[in-house]
Amino acid sequence: MSVEDLISPVANQTSWTEKAYQNIYKMRSKALMNMFVRQSTQHKHQHVATIGGISFFDDAFALSPNATWFTFYQSTTSVIWILENLNTSSIDFTEQLDVIKDKVKQIVFIDDSNNNEVMIAQLKKVVNVVVVKDMHSAVELAYHLAAKESSVIYSPASGTIEQAQQRAEEFIQQVYSL
């Protein structure tokens, strides 16, 4: 038996192992890509309407600052962000401030409790924040602040699926009433 014969099965095994790993990696990549690729699923970067050259997107299922960051990161236009804290505690946007500064031109913050001063102060360091009391006011103001070819995105970056779904439906209704 030659040295090549002894090495050959190991080489084939390594090749098989590498192929298996590549197939698993491809499957994982597709699964990850499907999670993050811009898709029109309900309440996940869902295009609602384009009115006067301004696109409105419902991203209510972006229930964490990281999910919201990803939405802004993949946006190709300037963004008016309708933000709402659906939790009782403040959200820390420290890691997202760079992309917010780069992509977001204005934040319309829905706050009917006045308990978000720390979070608003943090965001005001990089972008102008306007506080309103309800979704109707937020959509109206965002529409007037947005320029043609820009996007208005409702993304709460907090809350539960049930809260997000309810608020997303309200957002969609308000956009349709413009």
Side-chain angles (χ1 to χ4, degrees), residues 82-157:
I82 298 178
L83 171 63
E84 179 175 30
N85 187 358
L86 297 175
N87 293 334
T88 56
S89 59
S90 186
I91 304 168
D92 183 14
F93 287 104
T94 304
E95 294 180 12
Q96 293 79 16
L97 289 177
D98 287 339
V99 77
I100 291 170
K101 181 180 180 182
D102 184 43
K103 299 284 184 155
V104 178
K105 302 307 174 206
Q106 182 83 38
I107 296 174
V108 178
F109 189 84
I110 302 171
D111 184 19
D112 58 357
S113 65
N114 297 323
N115 292 333
N116 295 294
E117 295 86 17
V118 173
M119 186 171 63
I120 292 170
Q122 180 187 33
L123 292 169
K124 280 186 174 181
K125 291 178 183 177
V126 294
V127 67
N128 190 31
V129 179
V130 178
V131 179
V132 296
K133 297 290 182 192
D134 57 25
M135 184 67 75
H136 173 74
S137 301
V139 172
E140 284 277 330
L141 182 60
Y143 176 68
H144 291 293
L145 292 172
K148 268 191 170 184
E149 306 298 320
S150 64
S151 300
V152 173
I153 299 175
Y154 171 66
S155 185

Side-chain angles (χ1 to χ4, degrees), residues 156-171:
S158 64
T160 64
I161 290 175
E162 293 80 21
Q163 289 173 315
Q165 189 163 7
Q166 177 187 9
R167 298 301 284 161
E169 295 299 329
E170 187 177 350
F171 170 74

